[in-house]
Amino acid sequence: MAPATPSTHSAISLNINGEKRTLSVDHRTTLLDALRERLDMTGTKKGCDQGQCGACTVLLDGRRAVSCLQLAVAAEGREITTIEGMASGDQLHPVQQAFLDLDGYQCGYCTPGQICSAIAVIEEHAAGWPSAVTDDVRPEAAPPPLSADEIRERMSGNLCRCGAYVSIVEAVARGAAEAQAMTSADLPQTEEAAA
């Protein structure tokens, strides 16, 4: 008797934007295709399908990832955040609002991936992660100012075919400033500051 052929499909459970979604997928299905084709979450865009343009960027456990290169089965048990999960009800995430206010988009196709990357960039910078243009990369060094050069380098994995880069850099800078202001407001005041 011949051995049974192993199945090429699995039932998986994905935690997307705080909601558990269960589906059966072929083992070769990318996270991008599972999101768009199986779960109708079309905010994440398919651009190059080769991990080079960043249009499909999502957050996996808070870190950015191009979903066209991530297998859906490998995302099981991880926290997935897409553009649909960035707003809080009707309140846009500060980076989303900055993109709107500063025209950080033209056709809008790359915008979801740009926003997901920008949110991760701001968190990476705040955590002290250096980039290729960071002057002092010693662990004890404070994070460098989030200059236009730092933003450009950190966002370089996301392409905008319309060329809205100037506005994108401005939107990321504004989003970072608002994130910093929100973090500062959440810190407890010291006795000297309260006096």
Side-chain angles (χ1 to χ4, degrees):
M1 181 174 222
T5 305
S7 174
T8 60
H9 285 73
S10 291
I12 62 172
S13 202
L14 299 175
N15 188 1
I16 305 169
N17 302 325
E19 181 182 332
K20 193 172 229 178
R21 307 286 296 267
T22 302
L23 66 155
S24 177
V25 294
D26 182 293
H27 294 161
R28 299 165 294 180
T29 303
T30 64
L31 179 57
L32 173 61
D33 286 337
L35 291 169
R36 291 185 57 80
E37 308 301 329
R38 301 295 308 283
L39 299 172
D40 294 322
M41 300 186 78
T42 57
T44 304
K45 303 300 186 213
K46 184 178 274 199
C48 66
D49 216 17
Q50 298 176 359
Q52 296 178 3
C53 73
C56 68
T57 302
V58 298
L59 301 182
L60 285 178
D61 297 331
R63 296 186 63 184
R64 54 189 160 157
V66 285
S67 60
C68 71
L69 297 182
Q70 175 76 37
L71 293 176
V73 294
E76 187 168 28
R78 300 180 71 184
E79 185 70 34
I80 303 163
T81 307
T82 68
I83 192 67
E84 291 93 346
M86 295 298 175
S88 178
D90 290 336
Q91 181 69 37
L92 293 178
H93 186 284
V95 173
Q96 289 176 303
Q97 190 62 55
F99 267 74
L100 284 174
D101 294 345
L102 298 170
D103 296 325
Y105 58 90
Q106 285 187 25
C107 78
Y109 195 83
C110 73
T111 306
Q114 296 275 1
I115 290 171
C116 287
S117 277
I119 290 167
V121 159
I122 292 166
E123 292 175 6
E124 291 164 8
H125 176 263
W129 295 13
S131 78
V133 298
T134 303
D135 289 330
D136 189 350
V137 297
R138 294 175 299 139
E140 64 272 9
L146 194 56
S147 65
D149 286 341
E150 280 283 343
I151 293 169
R152 282 188 205 98
E153 172 59 30
R154 292 169 187 265
M155 292 290 295
S156 64
N158 289 79
L159 302 179
C160 173
R161 299 191 197 292
C162 298
Y165 294 115
V166 172
S167 297
I168 290 168
V169 169
E170 291 173 0
V172 175
R174 180 181 288 181
E178 291 184 21
Q180 175 64 34
M182 289 170 45
T183 301
S184 297
D186 290 341
L187 293 175
Q189 291 187 345
T190 62
E191 289 182 27
E192 296 86 22

